[in-house]
Amino acid sequence: MSIPPEGRDPSDVLAELEGLRGQDAPVHGGRVLAYVYDAGVEGLSAAGRAALASFGEVNALDPTVFPSVGRLENDLVGWGLNLLGGPEGSCGVVTSGGTESCILAVLTARQDWRRRGGQGRPVVVMPVTAHPAFAKAAHLLDMDLRVVPVDPEGMRVLPRDIEAALDEAGPAAALVIVSSPAYAHGVVDPVREVAALAAARGVACHSDACIGGLVLPYLRREGREIPDFDLSVPGVRSLSVDLHKYGYASKGTSLLLYSDTEYRLGSYFTYSTWPGYPVVNTTLQSTKSAGPMAAAWTVSQVLGDSGYARAVGRAIRATDRIVEAVAAIPGLRVLGSPDSTLIALAADGDEGAGGVDPFTLADRMRHRGWFIQPQPGIAGLPRNVHLTVQPSSADTVDQFVLDLATAADECRLLPWAAADPELAAAAASLDPDTLDEAAVAGLLEFAGLAGGGTPGLPEDSAGIQALLESLPAPLRDRLLAGFFSMLFSAAR
Ligand SMILES: Cc1ncc(COP(=O)(O)O)c(C=O)c1O
């Protein structure tokens, strides 16, 4: 039963909740190299959690009733603008996460395009490595998407390819996206060149620094060469930077920064012609918790500028150590040349020629207590594993590289993960639009993702990763949606 007939003792309930947490991957300790960002600073996360709890019930919808919200938001936005080249008159907003920042950035550009007389369906141009949040935004906002390939050596988009896409879109082009850096390979796009091409055509450019915005400025301060990417670049009209990533705050906060307040107005929504309170929304949410913002504010105050600099220093030294170690591991290589603390590892050599299969490597590392994230070979780029290196990785990196080398040794002797050829052939003939729930469930069961008990990923997932990689994208998407639909079947 999902709710008891009579209320329970709070301490029992909380104990049960803690038990559930025990099944999750750990969010601290450096063993999980995706999704989590551990600063490794004693007491930091506890301070953030205390703020989260204390402000959880404050409604950030209305800063006139809860003025603390205005103070917290203005401090956070001001910090972001100072760090990320905000010119005179620039501004921002606190959102619930990277995806909300990306959606609002696209909305703002669409509104600006319309205000300037744009007609019909506007177009968003983006590299294939841009985060899917922008595809989601185009889907929600009824815009067309032009996806541009990236250079398969450097993993960054070439300005001439963006130029061609912009010219093809003509007056329908409303926004160009660049990543600073892109999640998958940690490489920064040529922001200055792309923003100039966009500006010359009157098109806005968004720099997606969701994952790098609180890392790159500190790397530059350390004297590392960092390409220009922030709001000081002419033509960059907006920039996203997530506080719940390398800001080390609890999940639920990001900043969206804008070049000017008039442009920002495009993302505001007001409605005062109903008989209730006049609605003014600066984000997609209306009623929203001030908890995540208070947590982010607290973490930023506890760390301070020097704390962030130290954290980035620890993360980048761990990154360097991994890159250096990989160079000495036969059959494995780093993709591109990472600009920040994200690394993608691919095979150096084919199957049977000493290449290490990244999917099998992820499984082998899991056996040793590490989570590294499989990424499929898509768009002409090779299959690989992603590592989000964190400050806490500095404490675990020696063991990590030892385990990586041993796991790679094992993988070199093993066949690469491959899709069952019969299933792949049968699947290729299916039309995802006409598949019903039962057929999807059958396929998922065949793939080992469902059937019997609770649906979930098996301990070794290389075979499933290979199968998904081999499928046509619409079928893959249908199966993934079906899998999540099974995971979320209500407990009545
Ligand atoms: C570059 C980039 N943009 C956007 C996002 C989306 O952020 P979120 O998962 O917070 O919605 C991510 C997430 O990893 C990202 O790395």
Side-chain angles (χ1 to χ4, degrees):
M1 171 122 51
S2 51
I3 182 171
E6 300 297 332
R8 294 164 60 190
D9 183 77
S11 58
D12 281 356
V13 176
L14 291 172
E16 186 178 342
L17 204 57
E18 264 318 291
L20 291 177
R21 271 268 274 132
Q23 303 165 8
D24 294 340
V27 297
H28 291 285
R31 288 230 157 222
V32 176
L33 287 107
Y35 300 135
V36 299
Y37 304 81
D38 180 9
V41 172
E42 180 90 21
L44 183 70
S45 148
R49 284 200 308 273
L52 185 71
S54 149
F55 275 68
E57 290 160 322
V58 171
N59 194 343
L61 160 64
D62 192 339
T64 67
V65 177
F66 303 102
S68 63
V69 167
R71 162 75 198 280
L72 298 177
E73 175 146 343
N74 287 335
D75 278 357
L76 288 168
V77 169
W79 171 40
L81 292 174
N82 287 339
L83 195 65
L84 293 159
E88 192 60 36
S90 53
C91 58
V93 61
V94 173
T95 73
S96 65
T99 297
E100 189 180 6
S101 289
C102 298
I103 293 171
L104 284 174
V106 177
L107 170 66
T108 314
R110 190 193 72 177
Q111 296 306 93
D112 183 63
W113 176 84
R114 284 204 179 139
R115 212 164 43 83
R116 291 184 292 107
Q119 301 282 332
R121 259 173 93 84
V123 170
V124 179
V125 173
M126 69 179 208
V128 68
T129 45
H131 195 275
F134 296 102
K136 182 176 182 177
H139 162 72
L140 292 172
L141 296 168
D142 214 18
M143 296 167 77
D144 281 334
L145 198 61
R146 296 276 155 82
V147 178
V148 176
V150 296
D151 159 31
E153 289 305 312
M155 304 290 155
R156 50 174 65 84
V157 76
L158 299 174
R160 64 159 192 265
D161 291 335
I162 292 282
E163 188 171 23
L166 279 173
D167 288 343
E168 198 186 313
L175 180 66
V176 182
I177 310 297
V178 273
S179 305
S180 306
Y183 178 84
H185 317 109
V187 170
V188 177
D189 283 321
V191 177
R192 186 172 281 282
E193 293 83 344
V194 170
L197 288 169
R201 291 161 177 77
V203 176
C205 177
H206 176 81
S207 176
D208 178 14
C210 276
I211 202 160
L214 294 175
V215 174
L216 299 176
Y218 292 102
L219 292 179
R220 189 176 275 159
R221 265 196 226 168
E222 282 204 5
R224 294 190 183 233
E225 197 129 326
I226 300 296
D228 295 335
F229 72 97
D230 65 17
L231 278 173
S232 66
V233 175
V236 172
R237 303 298 304 276
S238 55
L239 177 146
S240 44
V241 49
D242 292 353
L243 302 172
H244 65 197
K245 293 195 171 79
Y246 285 97
Y248 314 111
S250 305
K251 298 301 182 214
T253 36
S254 167
L255 292 176
L256 175 58
L257 307 176
Y258 294 101
S259 59
D260 59 88
T261 46
E262 191 166 330
Y263 188 66
R264 177 176 66 175
L265 279 180
S267 63
Y268 280 15
F269 177 78
T270 53
Y271 195 88
S272 53
T273 50
W274 74 311
Y277 61 93
V279 166
V280 185
N281 289 160
T282 59
T283 58
L284 294 177
Q285 291 177 301
S286 195
T287 283
K288 56 187 177 185
S289 173
M293 186 191 305
W297 185 88
T298 300
V299 167
S300 68
Q301 296 288 321
V302 170
L303 275 181
D305 189 54
S306 63
Y308 280 98
R310 268 194 303 279
V312 168
R314 276 161 54 76
I316 198 69
R317 269 175 277 291
T319 309
D320 289 346
R321 174 101 173 76
I322 295 170
V323 170
E324 190 189 290
V326 168
I329 299 178
L332 210 53
R333 69 186 168 110
V334 172
L335 281 181
S337 164
D339 288 308
S340 123
T341 49
L342 312 171
I343 306 173
L345 302 178
D348 190 16
D350 293 331
E351 182 175 12
V356 169
D357 174 27
F359 291 170
T360 313
L361 182 71
D363 282 348
R364 294 282 147 166
M365 286 299 276
R366 202 145 188 179
H367 297 170
R368 292 174 168 78
W370 302 98
F371 176 72
I372 58 178
Q373 192 173 47
Q375 299 190 126
I378 293 237
L381 305 176
R383 91 167 47 155
N384 63 88
V385 276
H386 166 99
L387 317 179
T388 294
V389 185
Q390 303 149 50
S392 64
S393 307
D395 302 327
T396 52
V397 69
D398 291 339
Q399 189 60 47
F400 180 81
V401 296
L402 278 178
D403 285 344
L404 192 70
T406 318
D409 286 346
E410 291 170 3
C411 291
R412 271 193 303 279
L413 305 174
L414 297 171
W416 284 29
D420 176 325
E422 258 178 64
L423 181 66
S429 65
L430 296 172
D431 175 1
D433 291 337
T434 56
L435 279 184
D436 61 13
E437 291 265 297
V440 169
L443 278 169
L444 288 171
E445 190 170 342
F446 192 89
L449 284 164
T454 320
L457 270 188
E459 171 82 353
D460 282 342
S461 75
I464 286 166
Q465 303 291 348
L467 172 66
L468 287 172
E469 183 188 61
S470 75
L471 296 177
L475 182 62
R476 177 168 55 233
D477 288 342
R478 180 66 188 89
L479 289 184
L480 290 169
F483 178 50
F484 269 57
S485 179
M486 287 176 91
L487 282 179
F488 291 110
S489 46
R492 314 249 336 236

PDB file of all heavy atoms in Angstrom, residues 82 131 196 390:
ATOM      1  N   ASN A  82      29.725  38.279 -12.398  1.00  0.00           N
ATOM      2  CA  ASN A  82      31.104  38.714 -12.144  1.00  0.00           C
ATOM      3  C   ASN A  82      32.114  37.685 -12.658  1.00  0.00           C
ATOM      4  O   ASN A  82      33.159  38.031 -13.193  1.00  0.00           O
ATOM      5  CB  ASN A  82      31.339  38.924 -10.641  1.00  0.00           C
ATOM      6  CG  ASN A  82      30.637  40.176 -10.155  1.00  0.00           C
ATOM      7  OD1 ASN A  82      30.320  41.062 -10.953  1.00  0.00           O
ATOM      8  ND2 ASN A  82      30.381  40.256  -8.859  1.00  0.00           N
ATOM      9  N   HIS A 131      23.614  19.520 -25.540  1.00  0.00           N
ATOM     10  CA  HIS A 131      22.796  18.697 -24.643  1.00  0.00           C
ATOM     11  C   HIS A 131      21.371  18.530 -25.196  1.00  0.00           C
ATOM     12  O   HIS A 131      20.805  19.476 -25.756  1.00  0.00           O
ATOM     13  CB  HIS A 131      22.755  19.335 -23.249  1.00  0.00           C
ATOM     14  CG  HIS A 131      22.256  18.387 -22.203  1.00  0.00           C
ATOM     15  ND1 HIS A 131      20.913  18.214 -21.963  1.00  0.00           N
ATOM     16  CD2 HIS A 131      22.898  17.530 -21.378  1.00  0.00           C
ATOM     17  CE1 HIS A 131      20.764  17.297 -21.014  1.00  0.00           C
ATOM     18  NE2 HIS A 131      21.956  16.867 -20.635  1.00  0.00           N
ATOM     19  N   ALA A 196      30.163  35.194 -33.552  1.00  0.00           N
ATOM     20  CA  ALA A 196      30.348  36.262 -34.548  1.00  0.00           C
ATOM     21  C   ALA A 196      29.528  35.960 -35.805  1.00  0.00           C
ATOM     22  O   ALA A 196      28.875  36.849 -36.361  1.00  0.00           O
ATOM     23  CB  ALA A 196      31.826  36.401 -34.898  1.00  0.00           C
ATOM     24  N   GLN A 390      35.786  14.940 -10.232  1.00  0.00           N
ATOM     25  CA  GLN A 390      35.375  15.897  -9.190  1.00  0.00           C
ATOM     26  C   GLN A 390      36.524  16.175  -8.222  1.00  0.00           C
ATOM     27  O   GLN A 390      37.495  15.429  -8.198  1.00  0.00           O
ATOM     28  CB  GLN A 390      34.209  15.290  -8.407  1.00  0.00           C
ATOM     29  CG  GLN A 390      33.038  14.936  -9.271  1.00  0.00           C
ATOM     30  CD  GLN A 390      32.251  13.750  -8.746  1.00  0.00           C
ATOM     31  OE1 GLN A 390      31.893  13.714  -7.576  1.00  0.00           O
ATOM     32  NE2 GLN A 390      32.000  12.776  -9.607  1.00  0.00           N
TER      33      GLN A 390
END
